[in-house]
Amino acid sequence: MRAKTTIVAAAVCLVCAAGLIAGCTPKQSDTAPKPTEGDGAARQETTLTPEEQAVIDGAEGTTNDDINEEFYPGKEYLDGLWDKWDMIATEYAPEIRTLPNGQMVQRTPTEYEVNPDAWQIQAGSNSYNTYWLDADNRGCESCHADLNAVLKNMNYEHPIAWNDELDSKTTLQQCLFCHSYAPGYIAKQYEFGTLMHAIHSGKRASSKFTTEYEGDCMSCHNATENGAGLELWDLTKYTRLWGINDVENVQGEFKTDQTMTQAQDGVFSYDWMHAYYDNMRHGAGVNGLNLDMPQSLFDEWTITVNGNVGKEYTAKLPDLIKEAEAAGVVVNKTSKMVCNWNPVGGGGVTNTEITGIPVSWLVEKAGGAKDGTTGVKALRADGSSKRAFAKNKLDAGEALLVYKIGGEYLDATRGYPCTNWVEGVDAQINSKQVDTYNVTNEDIDYTDKWAGTPNGWQNEAKVPMNKPNATIFGVPDGLIVQNGQPYTFNGFVDAYDEKIASVEFSMDRGETWTKYDIADMDRNKMLWWTYTYKPELEGAYCLTIRATTESGMTSFETQTVMFNAKDKMPSAEETTVLQTAGLVPVKADTAATDNGDKK
């Protein structure tokens, strides 16, 4: 529906109201002064038809159905307003981008449907978001179309928080998750605002931000009158923008799967987080090097089991593998790995095929664990990790010495020649290049995020922020889809050591939820989901997801994605075609590029 059509509908309501009010208005006296020439309100006198006069007088028996807007003398004035705002709506139409990967996005909703009782929009539909709020020029992605690309290409090398295999999309919500309360991981707590203001307004970058991109405080913030102060635009925009279609008790087709796996090169790795050798492992796998690791490292690698055992035991890795294969104890299975620090919407998850030797079998080779054993420390050869897992993981066979992922021997990034692997807990215990299992009788807090194997990230109040974690993949902000055709969303839900009991979706921004129960699942595998929805009305929609565990825990943070359903899909020539997803060229330059990009 074009803006003019919407205004016409509103104008009819005005005419109806005018007709009703006219019946209560005293008739103008015949002696009343007539407009003089030059009077700005002067109009050429016309003779009204009986029908026109009936509308003006509100004649008895006149109903809304009898009113024809063409009879109303104010129609000429409204036509002028329509023309004016049609031009503004065209000039300020929401920008549509074609991203380097071919996806089309419209970050600001088109105001197809608005409240007919809101008088502010009767002569300004399809321009509130862009003309007044300037929404196309606000938020991180107004300048950075893909925050994954920003992290990948920044001067300071950032840990690999993205996951190309699963198509996770980095968002401001994820940035704040890490750059807030993260003692031991982030040196400066609650410094995200300090960092971002310095980057954008400091001497090194301020001229580009303020001059070329015409950036200011409102580029990132939203100023309120309700006491909330300066909000971050990206976190509040879906409650501020007009034109989002709310669907009560949304209905779609929900499916789950636990069989989908990633090959080794798709297994996430938050690299170089810890120590010198971790940096070396990372360096061997980045920039397309994928260096072949020396066979001698594998052949000479030793595994030692010591501590609270019958007798310390050491053997070379190849010998252990041969002996374990002969004994029939080698484990081949699908298993998940989830980072304790993985934010809602993040890609720090994996479901993959692992091949390994049970640590319990290795402990038995050392004479078994003595009485009083509380757990096992998995020690890296470089001494950079002393994390421990509880004895119940040993007894349940959930701790493995892994030397293959996806049927292939480990590469450098995944810890060649071997890594520890413990199921149902934080991936930090999966120590790369492990060479020692120290069976301990120490009184260790095995839920501690530094000494043990925690299950989810907690804030200062000890509230789990990502347990359960319900995430949507593959939807950049404002993704354009075909209206009237089913579209399938996908993602995962996980709760570390707990099973997921239900998944819920909302398409009216959290007012109502549609619940899908999970009959049963393997908590040591990822629970992937798909949700197929067919939009019926052209316009923008917001999809929100949350989950509940078998113990009753519900998502502390939820993820929301916005998408646009179009009756007619735009062609690339009708969009701003981006050749880069990091720092988007300024709009003034985009149309002039040699590749013919145009808005």
Side-chain angles (χ1 to χ4, degrees):
M1 182 185 296
R2 296 178 63 245
K4 187 169 182 178
T5 308
T6 304
I7 299 171
V8 168
V12 173
C13 297
L14 279 176
V15 172
C16 297
L20 295 173
I21 295 170
C24 303
T25 304
K27 187 175 181 179
Q28 187 176 25
S29 169
D30 292 338
T31 60
K34 298 185 182 297
T36 60
E37 187 174 354
D39 185 342
R43 291 176 177 272
Q44 185 177 4
E45 291 191 40
T46 59
T47 301
L48 299 178
T49 65
E51 291 90 347
E52 291 174 322
Q53 191 64 55
V55 170
I56 298 302
D57 293 342
E60 184 177 357
T62 300
T63 67
N64 291 349
D65 292 337
D66 298 324
I67 296 173
N68 185 333
E69 64 183 26
E70 297 298 334
F71 293 158
Y72 197 79
K75 178 66 163 55
E76 180 182 350
Y77 172 72
L78 287 179
D79 281 343
L81 285 183
W82 294 337
D83 292 341
K84 171 186 175 180
W85 283 102
D86 265 355
M87 288 189 293
I88 290 176
T90 299
E91 181 180 357
Y92 285 86
E95 180 188 31
I96 298 178
R97 293 172 171 176
T98 297
L99 302 179
N101 66 359
Q103 288 179 307
M104 292 185 182
V105 298
Q106 180 183 315
R107 298 174 50 254
T108 302
T110 301
E111 295 149 55
Y112 295 107
E113 298 292 334
V114 290
N115 182 358
D117 296 323
W119 66 266
Q120 299 100 320
I121 54 82
Q122 288 162 359
S125 179
N126 209 16
S127 57
Y128 178 79
N129 290 340
T130 51
Y131 184 77
W132 295 113
L133 298 189
D134 197 27
D136 267 352
N137 297 312
R138 302 176 73 179
C140 299
E141 291 176 357
S142 62
C143 295
H144 308 288
D146 180 2
L147 294 182
N148 283 357
V150 175
L151 298 184
K152 290 177 183 179
N153 299 309
M154 63 192 299
N155 289 334
Y156 176 85
E157 194 171 3
H158 194 283
I160 301 177
W162 56 90
N163 191 322
D164 293 334
E165 176 83 8
L166 298 177
D167 199 16
S168 64
K169 305 294 184 184
T170 300
T171 63
L172 175 61
Q173 180 183 9
Q174 296 173 42
C175 296
L176 290 171
F177 182 91
C178 290
H179 289 271
S180 55
Y181 180 70
Y185 288 176
I186 298 293
K188 297 285 285 182
Q189 303 299 293
Y190 291 103
E191 287 291 296
F192 183 78
T194 300
L195 181 62
M196 289 301 103
H197 285 98
I199 288 174
H200 291 85
S201 302
K203 184 176 180 180
R204 180 173 54 83
S206 63
S207 60
K208 180 171 251 185
F209 176 66
T210 59
T211 303
E212 293 185 39
Y213 287 85
E214 300 180 347
D216 56 24
C217 295
M218 293 303 102
S219 300
C220 305
H221 295 283
N222 184 60
T224 67
E225 75 295 334
N226 58 8
L230 282 179
E231 304 169 319
L232 283 166
W233 174 253
D234 278 348
L235 299 185
T236 192
K237 60 187 177 183
Y238 298 141
T239 63
R240 307 296 179 187
L241 295 169
W242 282 357
I244 296 176
N245 298 322
D246 286 328
V247 180
E248 186 178 10
N249 298 315
V250 61
Q251 297 299 308
E253 183 182 12
F254 176 71
K255 295 180 179 179
T256 61
D257 174 69
Q258 291 198 283
T259 63
M260 185 180 78
T261 61
Q262 290 79 53
Q264 182 165 191
D265 58 3
V267 171
F268 88 91
S269 177
Y270 285 179
D271 292 326
W272 66 272
M273 291 287 289
H274 301 286
Y276 178 73
Y277 278 92
D278 212 20
N279 280 270
M280 290 181 65
R281 284 187 290 268
H282 171 62
V286 298
N287 298 325
L289 294 178
N290 294 319
L291 299 178
D292 290 332
M293 301 302 292
Q295 182 64 37
S296 59
L297 187 62
F298 186 95
D299 293 341
E300 298 301 322
W301 196 265
T302 59
I303 299 296
T304 295
V305 182
N306 60 21
N308 199 41
V309 293
K311 184 178 180 181
E312 181 174 320
Y313 174 82
T314 299
K316 289 185 177 181
L317 179 60
D319 295 335
L320 280 175
I321 293 173
K322 289 180 182 178
E323 190 174 351
E325 288 175 341
V329 298
V330 172
V331 173
N332 259 301
K333 66 185 303 187
T334 298
S335 183
K336 76 177 183 184
M337 180 170 65
V338 183
C339 182
N340 180 51
W341 207 23
N342 184 48
V344 173
V349 297
T350 285
N351 217 39
T352 192
E353 296 291 335
I354 58 172
T355 302
I357 302 169
V359 178
S360 58
W361 184 78
L362 296 175
V363 171
E364 289 302 315
K365 299 285 289 181
K370 291 182 179 179
D371 291 343
T373 293
T374 61
V376 179
K377 294 179 181 179
L379 308 181
R380 285 192 181 124
D382 61 14
S384 63
S385 176
K386 296 179 175 60
R387 289 177 181 269
F389 55 89
K391 186 174 183 292
N392 62 351
K393 293 292 182 182
L394 187 73
D395 297 338
E398 293 181 311
L400 300 165
L401 174 65
V402 168
Y403 54 92
K404 284 184 179 181
I405 291 179
E408 299 178 347
Y409 288 103
L410 304 190
D411 58 20
T413 300
R414 280 81 192 173
Y416 178 88
C418 59
T419 185
N420 185 54
W421 190 286
V422 182
E423 296 184 301
V425 292
D426 172 28
Q428 289 276 21
I429 191 62
N430 294 0
S431 300
K432 299 172 182 177
Q433 293 189 325
V434 63
D435 74 341
T436 300
Y437 286 106
N438 178 249
V439 180
T440 181
N441 56 8
E442 296 176 38
D443 184 15
I444 296 174
D445 180 2
Y446 288 99
T447 66
D448 180 74
K449 61 178 173 287
W450 306 124
T453 53
N455 291 293
W457 190 259
Q458 297 181 347
N459 59 20
E460 303 98 313
K462 305 300 182 184
V463 176
M465 299 176 67
N466 60 351
K467 181 183 180 181
N469 185 333
T471 281
I472 304 169
F473 284 141
V475 183
D477 188 32
L479 177 68
I480 295 176
V481 303
Q482 179 68 60
N483 190 37
Q485 296 296 320
Y487 184 83
T488 300
F489 300 88
N490 74 92
F492 75 87
V493 286
D494 183 70
Y496 298 91
D497 58 334
E498 284 198 42
K499 292 183 177 182
I500 298 294
S502 65
V503 180
E504 297 174 86
F505 295 94
S506 174
M507 209 172 273
D508 54 7
R509 290 171 277 184
E511 290 297 318
T512 63
W513 294 88
T514 303
K515 181 178 179 181
Y516 298 91
D517 292 327
I518 306 300
D520 194 19
M521 61 165 291
D522 184 343
R523 66 184 178 87
N524 287 331
K525 296 179 182 179
M526 295 303 304
L527 183 66
W528 311 110
W529 59 264
T530 60
Y531 190 66
T532 302
Y533 174 75
K534 184 172 76 172
E536 302 289 350
L537 184 66
E538 191 170 29
Y541 297 81
C542 284
L543 178 67
T544 306
I545 184 174
R546 71 183 182 188
T548 302
T549 70
E550 60 183 349
S551 70
M553 295 178 64
T554 300
S555 300
F556 178 78
E557 286 191 6
T558 59
Q559 183 188 5
T560 298
V561 296
M562 189 190 81
F563 64 99
N564 292 279
K566 298 274 189 187
D567 287 342
K568 179 180 179 296
M569 295 292 284
S571 64
E573 290 73 21
E574 298 171 310
T575 73
T576 300
V577 181
L578 299 181
Q579 302 300 318
T580 176
L583 187 59
V584 175
V586 292
K587 291 182 180 179
D589 296 338
T590 304
T593 55
D594 292 338
N595 56 31
D597 296 354
K598 56 185 177 181
K599 187 173 179 178

